[in-house]
Amino acid sequence: MTFETPNLPNKTESSLDIIKEYFVTLKNILFNPILFFHNNTRSEGYAKPLVFALVTHWIGSSFDFLWNATLFKDFYKNFNQRISSEFDEIDSLGRNEWVYETKNLLTDWVNSIGAVLVDPFTTLLYILFISFIVFVGARILNPANNTQVKISYESVVQITCYSMAASIFAVIPAVGTVLSKIYIVLLMVIGVKESYSMGYLRATLVALFPQVLVAIALLSLMTLFLIPFLMIFFT
């Protein structure tokens, strides 16, 4: 798989050049992530990576919502209703009921599309929050900060944003959402490893630091709830 170098932005860059650069970057991340993150050592600020992540996640979320709202949500329900109606007397009431169900489906579509519209805002908050937790984890697990790229909040945001490239897999019906979530984690691990020259174990712990904190919190809560019962049981 060849690695393409996207054109650097300039004042005369056209919309077509921006779109081409976007797809080149997307291709490099998805099919050659090791080389992409290894070469992506220069500071790009916040704007460009965030725009890339928000656009990519919005596209994936839109298709995911489309599949859920049209193909899966009421597919089996409507299918069973239509099959059973073959054995019933077809009358105007039955037709009106089918029209009513279709109307409900369209109403749910209109009401739920708000989630797609606010997706860029929720994704932005998610990226900034997760990046902060990962940044804290990186500083804890590598306090000397002796890495190829200095561990900074900005660099972690860039890694998180470019890892969101896997969100595009949500355009695939049924399995796309699960595939994208798994690949996002994998890209985060690769991004941390290549950017900060860490081993895979440490990079995995840094990339999964938010999940590790959640697991520790849940175990702590479970322990707090179990201690009184254990004390009663053993006394």
Side-chain angles (χ1 to χ4, degrees):
M1 180 65 65
T2 59
F3 183 85
E4 300 182 33
T5 303
N7 297 325
L8 295 177
N10 54 73
K11 295 182 179 180
T12 60
E13 191 174 28
S14 65
S15 299
L16 186 61
D17 293 330
I18 295 174
I19 296 174
K20 180 181 178 181
E21 181 183 353
Y22 168 81
F23 282 106
V24 169
T25 302
L26 185 65
K27 173 188 173 184
N28 288 338
I29 298 173
L30 294 179
F31 299 108
N32 207 339
I34 295 177
L35 191 57
F36 174 84
F37 285 109
H38 183 78
N39 293 338
N40 192 45
T41 57
R42 61 187 178 86
S43 176
E44 294 182 316
Y46 293 96
K48 183 179 177 181
L50 281 172
V51 169
F52 174 87
L54 297 180
V55 170
T56 307
H57 193 272
W58 185 83
I59 294 174
S61 297
S62 300
F63 274 90
D64 180 51
F65 173 75
L66 176 65
W67 305 140
N68 290 332
T70 57
L71 298 182
F72 305 114
K73 182 179 180 181
D74 290 326
F75 175 80
Y76 293 108
K77 179 181 177 181
N78 291 336
F79 179 78
N80 291 332
Q81 288 178 345
R82 293 182 185 182
I83 292 296
S84 60
S85 65
E86 294 294 329
F87 301 94
D88 298 329
E89 180 180 356
I90 300 178
D91 55 11
S92 59
L93 181 60
R95 289 193 295 271
N96 290 335
E97 183 178 355
W98 182 85
V99 172
Y100 179 76
E101 292 294 336
T102 305
K103 177 180 176 294
N104 285 340
L105 179 62
L106 294 176
T107 302
D108 291 340
W109 167 276
V110 174
N111 292 337
S112 302
I113 202 170
V116 176
L117 297 178
V118 301
D119 179 78
F121 302 100
T122 56
T123 304
L124 175 62
L125 295 176
Y126 170 83
I127 290 173
L128 296 179
F129 177 74
I130 291 297
S131 296
F132 176 75
I133 303 299
V134 173
F135 168 69
V136 172
R139 295 304 299 266
I140 292 175
L141 295 173
N142 193 359
N145 202 5
N146 52 348
T147 58
Q148 178 183 355
V149 178
K150 182 180 179 181
I151 298 176
S152 63
Y153 182 66
E154 178 184 337
S155 63
V156 175
V157 169
Q158 291 179 13
I159 294 172
T160 305
C161 287
Y162 287 126
S163 298
M164 299 295 284
S167 300
I168 201 69
F169 287 129
V171 303
I172 305 173
V175 299
T177 301
V178 176
L179 179 62
S180 67
K181 292 183 182 301
I182 295 174
Y183 202 37
I184 285 175
V185 175
L186 179 60
L187 289 177
M188 279 291 294
V189 173
I190 295 174
V192 171
K193 177 185 179 299
E194 295 300 323
S195 298
Y196 302 140
S197 301
M198 295 181 179
Y200 270 114
L201 178 58
R202 182 177 295 184
T204 302
L205 291 175
V206 171
L208 296 179
F209 197 70
Q211 289 82 351
V212 172
L213 289 183
V214 171
I216 293 175
L218 291 176
L219 288 175
S220 301
L221 289 174
M222 290 176 61
T223 303
L224 290 176
F225 281 109
L226 286 175
I227 287 177
F229 292 101
L230 293 176
M231 293 178 63
I232 296 174
F233 180 79
F234 289 104
T235 56

